[in-house]
Coordinates of all heavy atoms in Angstrom, one line a residue:
M191 N 0.8 -1.2 0.0 CA 0.0 -0.1 0.0 C 0.9 1.3 0.0 O 0.6 2.2 -0.6 CB -0.9 0.0 1.3 CG -2.0 -1.1 1.2 SD -3.2 -0.9 -0.2 CE -3.9 0.7 0.1
A192 N 1.9 1.2 0.8 CA 2.8 2.4 0.8 C 3.4 2.9 -0.4 O 3.6 4.1 -0.8 CB 4.0 2.1 1.9
R193 N 3.5 1.9 -1.4 CA 4.0 2.4 -2.8 C 2.9 3.0 -3.5 O 3.2 3.9 -4.5 CB 4.4 1.0 -3.5 CG 5.8 0.6 -3.1 CD 6.2 -0.6 -3.9 NE 7.5 -1.0 -3.6 CZ 8.2 -2.1 -4.0 NH1 7.6 -2.7 -5.0 NH2 9.3 -2.3 -3.7
L194 N 1.7 2.7 -3.3 CA 0.5 3.2 -4.1 C 0.2 4.7 -3.7 O -0.2 5.4 -4.5 CB -0.7 2.3 -3.9 CG -0.6 0.9 -4.5 CD1 -1.8 0.1 -4.2 CD2 -0.3 0.9 -5.9
V195 N 0.3 4.9 -2.4 CA -0.1 6.3 -2.0 C 0.5 7.5 -2.7 O -0.2 8.4 -3.1 CB 0.2 6.5 -0.4 CG1 -0.1 7.8 0.0 CG2 -0.7 5.4 0.3
P196 N 1.8 7.5 -2.9 CA 2.4 8.6 -3.7 C 1.9 8.8 -5.0 O 1.7 9.9 -5.5 CB 3.9 8.3 -3.7 CG 4.2 7.5 -2.5 CD 2.9 6.6 -2.3
T197 N 1.5 7.7 -5.7 CA 1.0 7.8 -7.1 C -0.4 8.6 -7.0 O -0.6 9.5 -7.9 CB 0.5 6.4 -7.6 OG1 1.8 5.6 -7.5 CG2 0.0 6.4 -9.1
Y198 N -1.3 8.4 -6.1 CA -2.5 9.1 -5.9 C -2.2 10.5 -5.5 O -2.9 11.5 -6.0 CB -3.4 8.4 -5.0 CG -4.0 7.0 -5.5 CD1 -3.4 5.9 -5.3 CD2 -5.0 7.2 -6.5 CE1 -3.9 4.7 -5.7 CE2 -5.4 6.0 -7.1 CZ -4.9 4.7 -6.7 OH -5.4 3.5 -7.3
V199 N -1.4 10.7 -4.4 CA -1.2 11.9 -3.9 C -0.6 13.0 -4.7 O -0.9 14.1 -4.8 CB -0.4 11.8 -2.5 CG1 -0.1 13.2 -1.9 CG2 -1.2 11.0 -1.4
T200 N 0.4 12.5 -5.5 CA 1.2 13.4 -6.3 C 0.4 13.9 -7.6 O 0.9 14.8 -8.3 CB 2.6 12.7 -6.7 OG1 2.3 11.7 -7.4 CG2 3.5 12.6 -5.5
S201 N -0.7 13.3 -7.8 CA -1.6 13.7 -8.9 C -2.5 14.9 -8.4 O -3.2 15.6 -9.3 CB -2.3 12.7 -9.3 OG -3.4 12.2 -8.5
E202 N -2.4 15.4 -7.2 CA -3.3 16.4 -6.6 C -2.5 17.7 -6.6 O -1.2 17.7 -6.6 CB -3.8 16.0 -5.3 CG -4.6 14.8 -5.3 CD -5.9 14.9 -6.1 OE1 -6.4 16.1 -6.2 OE2 -6.4 13.9 -6.7
P203 N -3.0 18.8 -6.4 CA -2.4 20.1 -6.4 C -1.6 20.2 -5.0 O -2.0 19.4 -4.1 CB -3.4 21.2 -6.2 CG -4.8 20.5 -6.9 CD -4.6 19.0 -6.6
H204 N -0.6 20.8 -5.0 CA 0.3 20.9 -3.8 C -0.5 21.6 -2.8 O -1.4 22.4 -2.8 CB 1.5 22.0 -4.1 CG 2.6 21.3 -4.9 ND1 3.8 21.8 -4.9 CD2 2.7 20.2 -5.7 CE1 4.7 21.1 -5.5 NE2 3.9 20.2 -6.1
A205 N -0.2 21.1 -1.5 CA -0.8 21.5 -0.3 C -2.3 21.3 -0.3 O -3.0 22.1 0.4 CB -0.3 22.8 0.2
S206 N -2.9 20.2 -0.9 CA -4.3 20.1 -1.0 C -4.7 18.8 -0.4 O -6.1 18.7 -0.1 CB -4.8 20.2 -2.4 OG -4.3 19.0 -3.1
V207 N -4.0 17.9 -0.1 CA -4.4 16.5 0.3 C -4.6 16.4 1.8 O -3.6 16.8 2.6 CB -3.5 15.5 -0.2 CG1 -3.9 14.0 0.3 CG2 -3.4 15.5 -1.7
L208 N -5.7 15.8 2.3 CA -5.9 15.4 3.6 C -5.7 13.9 3.6 O -6.4 13.2 2.9 CB -7.3 15.8 4.2 CG -7.6 17.3 4.2 CD1 -9.0 17.5 4.6 CD2 -6.7 18.1 5.1
L209 N -4.7 13.4 4.3 CA -4.4 12.0 4.3 C -4.6 11.3 5.7 O -4.0 11.8 6.7 CB -2.9 11.9 3.9 CG -2.3 10.4 3.8 CD1 -3.0 9.7 2.6 CD2 -0.9 10.5 3.7
L210 N -5.3 10.3 5.7 CA -5.5 9.4 7.0 C -4.8 8.1 6.6 O -5.3 7.4 5.7 CB -7.0 9.3 7.3 CG -7.3 8.4 8.4 CD1 -6.7 8.9 9.7 CD2 -8.8 8.0 8.6
A211 N -3.9 7.8 7.4 CA -3.2 6.5 7.4 C -3.6 5.7 8.6 O -3.2 6.1 9.7 CB -1.7 6.7 7.4
D212 N -4.2 4.6 8.3 CA -4.8 3.6 9.4 C -3.9 2.5 9.4 O -4.0 1.7 8.5 CB -6.2 3.4 9.2 CG -6.8 2.7 10.4 OD1 -6.1 2.1 11.3 OD2 -8.0 2.7 10.6
F213 N -3.0 2.2 10.4 CA -2.2 1.1 10.5 C -2.7 0.0 11.5 O -1.9 -0.9 11.8 CB -0.7 1.5 11.0 CG -0.2 2.5 10.1 CD1 -0.1 3.9 10.3 CD2 0.4 2.1 8.9 CE1 0.6 4.8 9.4 CE2 1.1 2.9 8.0 CZ 1.1 4.2 8.3
T214 N -4.1 0.1 11.8 CA -4.6 -0.8 12.7 C -4.4 -2.2 12.2 O -4.8 -2.6 11.1 CB -6.1 -0.5 12.9 OG1 -6.3 0.8 13.3 CG2 -6.7 -1.5 13.9
G215 N -3.8 -3.1 13.1 CA -3.5 -4.5 12.7 C -2.4 -4.7 11.8 O -2.1 -5.8 11.5
A216 N -1.6 -3.7 11.5 CA -0.5 -3.8 10.6 C 0.6 -4.4 11.3 O 0.9 -4.2 12.5 CB -0.1 -2.4 10.0
T217 N 1.6 -5.0 10.6 CA 2.9 -5.4 11.1 C 4.0 -4.8 10.2 O 3.7 -4.5 9.1 CB 3.0 -7.0 11.0 OG1 2.9 -7.4 9.6 CG2 2.0 -7.7 11.8
F218 N 5.0 -4.5 11.0 CA 6.1 -3.7 10.2 C 7.4 -4.5 10.2 O 7.9 -5.0 11.3 CB 6.3 -2.4 11.0 CG 5.0 -1.5 11.1 CD1 4.3 -1.7 12.1 CD2 4.8 -0.7 10.0 CE1 3.0 -0.9 12.1 CE2 3.6 0.0 10.0 CZ 2.7 -0.1 11.1
D219 N 8.0 -4.6 9.0 CA 9.2 -5.2 8.8 C 10.2 -4.1 8.2 O 9.7 -2.9 8.0 CB 9.3 -6.4 8.0 CG 8.8 -6.3 6.6 OD1 8.7 -5.1 6.2 OD2 8.5 -7.3 5.9
R220 N 11.5 -4.4 8.0 CA 12.3 -3.4 7.5 C 11.9 -2.8 6.1 O 11.9 -1.6 5.8 CB 13.7 -4.0 7.4 CG 14.8 -3.0 7.1 CD 15.0 -2.2 8.2 NE 16.0 -1.2 8.1 CZ 15.9 0.0 8.6 NH1 15.0 0.4 9.4 NH2 16.9 0.8 8.5
I221 N 11.3 -3.7 5.3 CA 10.9 -3.3 3.9 C 9.8 -2.2 4.0 O 9.7 -1.2 3.4 CB 10.5 -4.5 3.0 CG1 11.8 -5.3 2.8 CG2 9.8 -3.9 1.7 CD1 11.6 -6.6 2.0
A222 N 8.7 -2.6 5.0 CA 7.6 -1.7 5.2 C 8.1 -0.4 5.7 O 7.6 0.6 5.3 CB 6.7 -2.4 6.3
I223 N 9.0 -0.4 6.7 CA 9.5 0.9 7.2 C 10.2 1.7 6.0 O 10.0 2.9 5.9 CB 10.6 0.7 8.3 CG1 9.8 0.0 9.5 CG2 11.2 2.0 8.7 CD1 8.6 0.8 10.2
D224 N 11.0 1.1 5.3 CA 11.6 1.8 4.1 C 10.6 2.4 3.2 O 10.7 3.5 2.8 CB 12.6 0.9 3.4 CG 13.8 0.6 4.1 OD1 14.1 1.2 5.1 OD2 14.6 -0.4 3.7
R225 N 9.5 1.6 2.9 CA 8.5 2.2 2.0 C 7.8 3.4 2.6 O 7.4 4.4 1.8 CB 7.5 1.1 1.6 CG 7.9 0.0 0.9 CD 8.5 0.3 -0.5 NE 9.2 -0.8 -1.1 CZ 10.5 -1.0 -1.0 NH1 11.4 -0.2 -0.5 NH2 11.1 -2.1 -1.6
L226 N 7.5 3.3 3.9 CA 6.9 4.4 4.6 C 7.8 5.7 4.6 O 7.3 6.8 4.3 CB 6.5 4.1 6.1 CG 5.4 3.2 6.2 CD1 5.3 2.7 7.8 CD2 4.1 4.0 5.9
K227 N 9.1 5.5 4.8 CA 9.9 6.6 4.6 C 10.0 7.2 3.4 O 9.9 8.5 3.3 CB 11.4 6.0 5.1 CG 11.7 5.8 6.5 CD 13.1 5.2 6.7 CE 14.2 5.6 5.8 NZ 15.5 4.9 6.1
E228 N 10.0 6.4 2.3 CA 10.0 7.0 0.9 C 8.7 7.7 0.7 O 8.7 8.8 0.1 CB 10.2 5.9 -0.1 CG 11.6 5.1 -0.1 CD 11.6 3.8 -0.8 OE1 10.6 3.5 -1.5 OE2 12.6 3.2 -0.8
G229 N 7.6 7.1 1.0 CA 6.2 7.7 0.8 C 6.1 9.0 1.5 O 5.5 10.0 1.0
T230 N 6.5 9.1 2.7 CA 6.3 10.4 3.5 C 7.2 11.5 2.9 O 6.9 12.6 3.1 CB 6.7 10.2 5.0 OG1 8.0 9.6 5.2 CG2 5.7 9.3 5.7
V231 N 8.3 11.2 2.2 CA 9.0 12.2 1.6 C 8.4 12.7 0.3 O 8.2 13.8 0.1 CB 10.5 11.7 1.3 CG1 11.2 12.6 0.4 CG2 11.2 11.4 2.6
F232 N 8.0 11.6 -0.6 CA 7.4 12.0 -1.9 C 6.1 12.7 -1.8 O 5.8 13.7 -2.5 CB 7.2 10.8 -2.8 CG 8.5 10.2 -3.3 CD1 8.9 9.0 -3.0 CD2 9.3 11.1 -4.1 CE1 10.1 8.4 -3.5 CE2 10.3 10.6 -4.7 CZ 10.9 9.3 -4.4
D233 N 5.2 12.5 -0.7 CA 3.9 13.1 -0.7 C 3.9 14.4 0.1 O 2.9 15.1 0.1 CB 2.8 12.2 -0.2 CG 3.0 11.7 1.2 OD1 3.9 12.2 1.9 OD2 2.3 10.7 1.6
R234 N 5.1 14.7 0.8 CA 5.1 15.9 1.7 C 4.6 17.2 1.0 O 3.8 17.9 1.5 CB 6.4 16.0 2.2 CG 6.6 17.3 3.1 CD 8.0 17.5 3.6 NE 9.0 17.4 2.6 CZ 10.2 17.0 2.7 NH1 10.7 16.6 3.9 NH2 11.0 17.1 1.7
P235 N 5.0 17.5 -0.2 CA 4.6 18.9 -0.9 C 3.0 18.9 -1.2 O 2.5 19.9 -1.3 CB 5.3 18.9 -2.1 CG 6.5 18.0 -2.1 CD 6.0 16.9 -1.1
Y236 N 2.5 17.7 -1.3 CA 1.1 17.7 -1.7 C 0.1 17.6 -0.5 O -1.2 17.8 -0.7 CB 0.8 16.4 -2.6 CG 1.7 16.4 -3.7 CD1 3.0 15.8 -3.7 CD2 1.3 17.1 -5.0 CE1 3.9 15.9 -4.8 CE2 2.1 17.1 -6.0 CZ 3.5 16.6 -6.0 OH 4.3 16.6 -7.1
L237 N 0.6 17.5 0.6 CA -0.3 17.3 1.9 C -0.7 18.7 2.4 O 0.2 19.5 2.6 CB 0.3 16.4 2.9 CG 0.6 15.0 2.5 CD1 1.3 14.4 3.7 CD2 -0.6 14.3 2.1
K238 N -1.9 18.8 2.8 CA -2.3 19.9 3.7 C -2.2 19.4 5.1 O -1.7 20.2 5.9 CB -3.8 20.3 3.3 CG -4.4 21.4 4.1 CD -5.8 21.8 3.7 CE -6.3 22.9 4.5 NZ -7.6 23.2 3.9
R239 N -2.6 18.3 5.3 CA -2.5 17.6 6.6 C -2.5 16.1 6.5 O -3.1 15.6 5.7 CB -3.6 18.0 7.6 CG -3.5 19.2 8.4 CD -4.6 19.4 9.3 NE -4.4 20.6 10.0 CZ -5.2 21.2 10.7 NH1 -6.4 20.7 11.0 NH2 -4.9 22.4 11.2
S240 N -1.9 15.5 7.4 CA -1.9 14.1 7.6 C -2.1 13.6 9.0 O -1.7 14.3 9.9 CB -0.7 13.3 7.0 OG 0.4 13.6 7.7
A241 N -2.7 12.4 9.2 CA -3.0 11.9 10.5 C -2.7 10.5 10.4 O -3.1 9.8 9.4 CB -4.3 12.3 11.0
W242 N -2.1 9.9 11.5 CA -1.9 8.4 11.5 C -2.8 7.9 12.7 O -2.8 8.4 13.8 CB -0.4 8.1 11.8 CG 0.4 8.4 10.6 CD1 0.2 9.1 9.5 CD2 1.8 7.8 10.4 NE1 1.2 8.9 8.6 CE2 2.2 8.2 9.1 CE3 2.6 7.0 11.2 CZ2 3.5 7.9 8.7 CZ3 3.8 6.7 10.7 CH2 4.2 7.1 9.5
V243 N -3.3 6.7 12.5 CA -4.1 6.0 13.5 C -3.4 4.5 13.5 O -3.1 4.0 12.5 CB -5.6 5.9 13.1 CG1 -6.4 5.0 14.0 CG2 -6.1 7.3 13.0
G244 N -3.7 3.9 14.7 CA -3.3 2.5 14.9 C -1.9 2.2 14.8 O -1.3 1.2 14.3
T245 N -1.1 3.1 15.3 CA 0.4 2.9 15.3 C 0.9 2.2 16.5 O 2.1 2.2 16.7 CB 1.0 4.4 15.2 OG1 0.7 5.1 16.3 CG2 0.7 5.0 14.0
D246 N 0.1 1.7 17.3 CA 0.5 0.9 18.6 C 1.6 -0.2 18.2 O 2.4 -0.4 19.0 CB -0.7 0.3 19.3 CG -1.7 1.4 19.8 OD1 -1.2 2.5 20.0 OD2 -2.7 1.0 20.1
S247 N 1.4 -0.8 17.1 CA 2.4 -1.9 16.7 C 3.6 -1.3 16.0 O 4.5 -2.2 15.7 CB 1.6 -2.9 15.8 OG 1.3 -2.3 14.6
L248 N 3.7 -0.1 15.8 CA 4.9 0.5 15.2 C 5.8 1.0 16.2 O 5.6 1.9 17.0 CB 4.5 1.8 14.4 CG 5.6 2.5 13.7 CD1 6.4 1.8 12.6 CD2 5.1 3.8 13.0
P249 N 6.9 0.3 16.3 CA 7.9 0.6 17.4 C 8.3 2.1 17.3 O 8.5 2.8 16.2 CB 9.2 -0.2 17.1 CG 8.6 -1.3 16.4 CD 7.5 -0.8 15.5
K250 N 8.3 2.8 18.5 CA 8.6 4.2 18.6 C 9.8 4.6 17.9 O 10.0 5.7 17.3 CB 8.6 4.6 20.1 CG 8.8 6.2 20.2 CD 8.3 6.6 21.5 CE 8.6 8.1 21.8 NZ 7.6 9.0 21.0
V251 N 10.9 3.8 18.0 CA 12.3 4.2 17.3 C 11.9 4.3 15.7 O 12.5 5.1 15.1 CB 13.2 3.2 17.6 CG1 13.1 1.8 17.1 CG2 14.6 3.7 17.2
F252 N 11.1 3.4 15.2 CA 10.8 3.5 13.8 C 10.0 4.7 13.4 O 10.3 5.4 12.4 CB 10.1 2.2 13.3 CG 11.1 1.0 13.3 CD1 10.5 -0.3 13.5 CD2 12.4 1.1 13.1 CE1 11.3 -1.4 13.4 CE2 13.2 -0.1 13.1 CZ 12.6 -1.3 13.2
Y253 N 9.0 5.0 14.2 CA 8.3 6.2 14.1 C 9.0 7.5 14.1 O 8.9 8.3 13.2 CB 7.1 6.2 15.2 CG 6.4 7.5 15.1 CD1 5.3 7.7 14.3 CD2 6.5 8.6 16.2 CE1 4.7 9.0 14.2 CE2 5.8 9.6 16.2 CZ 4.9 9.9 15.3 OH 4.2 11.1 15.3
E254 N 9.9 7.5 15.1 CA 10.8 8.8 15.1 C 11.7 8.8 14.0 O 12.0 9.9 13.5 CB 11.5 8.8 16.5 CG 10.6 8.9 17.7 CD 10.0 10.2 17.8 OE1 10.5 11.2 17.2 OE2 8.9 10.3 18.3
H255 N 12.2 7.7 13.5 CA 13.1 7.6 12.3 C 12.4 8.1 11.0 O 13.0 9.0 10.2 CB 13.7 6.3 12.1 CG 14.7 6.1 11.1 ND1 15.9 6.7 11.2 CD2 14.8 5.6 9.9 CE1 16.6 6.6 10.1 NE2 15.9 5.8 9.2
I256 N 11.1 7.7 11.0 CA 10.3 8.2 9.7 C 10.1 9.6 9.8 O 10.2 10.4 8.8 CB 9.0 7.2 9.7 CG1 9.3 5.8 9.4 CG2 8.1 8.0 8.6 CD1 8.1 4.9 9.6
K257 N 9.8 10.3 11.0 CA 9.6 11.6 11.2 C 10.8 12.4 10.8 O 10.8 13.3 10.1 CB 9.1 11.9 12.6 CG 7.7 11.6 12.8 CD 7.3 12.0 14.3 CE 8.0 13.3 14.9 NZ 7.4 13.6 16.1
S258 N 11.9 11.9 11.3 CA 13.2 12.5 11.1 C 13.6 12.5 9.6 O 14.0 13.6 9.0 CB 14.3 11.9 11.9 OG 15.6 12.4 11.7
F259 N 13.5 11.3 9.0 CA 13.8 11.2 7.5 C 12.9 12.0 6.7 O 13.5 12.7 5.6 CB 13.6 9.7 7.2 CG 14.1 9.4 5.8 CD1 15.5 9.2 5.5 CD2 13.2 9.4 4.8 CE1 15.8 9.0 4.2 CE2 13.5 9.0 3.5 CZ 14.9 8.9 3.2
S260 N 11.6 12.1 7.0 CA 10.7 12.8 6.1 C 10.7 14.3 6.4 O 10.1 15.0 5.5 CB 9.3 12.3 6.2 OG 8.8 12.5 7.5
R261 N 11.3 14.7 7.6 CA 11.2 16.1 8.0 C 9.7 16.6 8.1 O 9.3 17.7 7.5 CB 11.9 17.0 7.2 CG 13.4 16.7 7.1 CD 14.2 17.6 6.2 NE 15.6 17.1 6.1 CZ 16.4 17.5 5.1 NH1 16.0 18.5 4.3 NH2 17.6 17.0 5.0
R262 N 8.8 15.8 8.6 CA 7.4 16.0 8.7 C 7.0 15.7 10.2 O 7.5 14.8 10.8 CB 6.7 15.1 7.8 CG 6.6 15.5 6.5 CD 5.7 14.6 5.6 NE 4.5 14.2 6.1 CZ 3.8 13.2 5.7 NH1 4.2 12.5 4.6 NH2 2.6 12.8 6.3
E263 N 5.9 16.4 10.5 CA 5.3 16.0 11.8 C 4.2 14.9 11.4 O 3.6 15.0 10.3 CB 4.5 17.1 12.4 CG 5.5 18.1 13.0 CD 6.2 17.6 14.2 OE1 5.7 16.7 15.0 OE2 7.5 17.9 14.2
L264 N 4.1 13.8 12.1 CA 3.3 12.7 11.8 C 2.3 12.6 13.1 O 2.5 11.7 13.8 CB 4.0 11.6 11.6 CG 5.0 11.6 10.3 CD1 5.9 10.4 10.3 CD2 4.2 11.8 9.0
P265 N 1.3 13.4 13.2 CA 0.5 13.3 14.4 C -0.3 11.9 14.4 O -0.8 11.5 13.4 CB -0.5 14.5 14.3 CG -0.4 15.0 12.9 CD 0.9 14.5 12.3
T266 N -0.4 11.3 15.6 CA -1.0 10.0 15.8 C -2.2 10.3 16.7 O -2.3 11.1 17.5 CB -0.1 9.0 16.4 OG1 0.4 9.5 17.7 CG2 1.2 8.8 15.5
F267 N -3.2 9.4 16.4 CA -4.5 9.5 17.1 C -4.9 8.0 17.5 O -4.6 7.1 16.9 CB -5.5 10.2 16.2 CG -5.2 11.6 15.9 CD1 -4.4 11.8 14.7 CD2 -5.6 12.6 16.7 CE1 -4.0 13.1 14.4 CE2 -5.2 13.9 16.4 CZ -4.4 14.2 15.3
K268 N -5.7 8.0 18.6 CA -6.2 6.8 19.1 C -7.3 6.3 18.2 O -7.4 5.0 18.1 CB -6.7 6.9 20.5 CG -5.7 7.3 21.6 CD -4.9 6.0 21.9 CE -3.8 6.3 23.0 NZ -2.9 5.4 23.1
T269 N -8.1 7.1 17.6 CA -9.2 6.6 16.8 C -9.3 7.3 15.4 O -8.8 8.4 15.3 CB -10.6 6.9 17.5 OG1 -10.9 8.3 17.7 CG2 -10.6 6.2 18.9
R270 N -10.0 6.7 14.5 CA -10.2 7.3 13.2 C -11.0 8.6 13.3 O -10.7 9.5 12.7 CB -10.8 6.3 12.2 CG -10.1 5.2 11.8 CD -10.9 4.2 10.9 NE -11.3 4.8 9.7 CZ -10.7 4.6 8.6 NH1 -9.6 3.9 8.5 NH2 -11.1 5.2 7.5
E271 N -11.9 8.6 14.3 CA -12.8 9.8 14.4 C -12.0 11.0 14.8 O -12.2 12.1 14.4 CB -13.9 9.5 15.4 CG -15.0 8.5 14.9 CD -14.5 7.0 14.9 OE1 -13.6 6.7 15.6 OE2 -15.0 6.2 14.1
E272 N -11.1 10.7 15.8 CA -10.3 11.8 16.4 C -9.4 12.3 15.2 O -9.2 13.5 15.0 CB -9.3 11.3 17.6 CG -10.1 11.1 18.8 CD -9.1 10.4 19.8 OE1 -8.1 9.9 19.5 OE2 -9.4 10.5 21.0
A273 N -8.7 11.4 14.5 CA -8.0 11.8 13.3 C -8.7 12.6 12.3 O -8.2 13.6 11.8 CB -7.3 10.6 12.7
M274 N -9.9 12.1 11.9 CA -10.7 12.9 10.9 C -11.1 14.2 11.3 O -11.0 15.1 10.6 CB -11.8 12.0 10.5 CG -11.4 10.8 9.7 SD -12.7 9.8 8.8 CE -13.4 9.1 10.3
D275 N -11.5 14.3 12.7 CA -11.8 15.7 13.2 C -10.6 16.5 13.1 O -10.8 17.8 12.8 CB -12.3 15.5 14.7 CG -13.7 14.9 14.8 OD1 -14.4 14.8 13.8 OD2 -14.0 14.4 15.9
W276 N -9.5 16.1 13.4 CA -8.2 16.9 13.4 C -7.9 17.3 12.0 O -7.5 18.4 11.7 CB -7.1 16.2 14.0 CG -5.9 17.0 14.0 CD1 -5.5 18.0 14.9 CD2 -4.8 17.1 13.1 NE1 -4.3 18.6 14.7 CE2 -3.9 18.0 13.5 CE3 -4.6 16.3 11.8 CZ2 -2.7 18.3 12.8 CZ3 -3.3 16.6 11.2 CH2 -2.5 17.5 11.6
L277 N -8.1 16.4 11.1 CA -7.8 16.6 9.6 C -8.6 17.8 9.1 O -8.0 18.6 8.2 CB -8.0 15.4 8.8 CG -6.9 14.4 8.8 CD1 -7.4 13.1 8.1 CD2 -5.6 14.9 8.3
V278 N -9.9 17.8 9.4 CA -10.7 18.9 8.8 C -10.9 20.1 9.5 O -11.6 21.2 9.1 CB -12.2 18.3 8.4 CG1 -12.0 17.1 7.5 CG2 -12.9 17.8 9.8
K279 N -10.3 20.3 10.7 CA -10.4 21.4 11.4 C -9.6 22.6 10.8 O -8.5 22.3 10.2 CB -10.1 21.2 12.9 CG -8.5 21.2 13.2 CD -8.3 21.2 14.6 CE -6.7 21.3 14.8 NZ -6.3 21.4 16.1
E280 N -10.0 23.8 11.0 CA -9.3 25.0 10.4 C -8.5 25.6 11.4 O -8.9 25.8 12.6 CB -10.3 25.8 9.6 CG -10.8 25.3 8.5 CD -9.8 24.8 7.3 OE1 -8.8 25.6 7.1 OE2 -9.9 23.9 6.7

């Protein structure tokens, strides 16, 4: 999935995309982390906001590494509802 996201996001105008990434039930290996790193860099110019949900299974060290690599804030939320509320607030 991480490979597909930039394809959709980069077809949109800069700073226009609201992105919700739901990792609930996901497992992460080295390849998945590398794909997330790449995706967070490529889609950065197109995002207005992004929110992550279900990151409990993502080790904190990997989360911090992705944030550092992408030079982005990656706010996390406990529920999809909280994340969606945050995404659309002005």
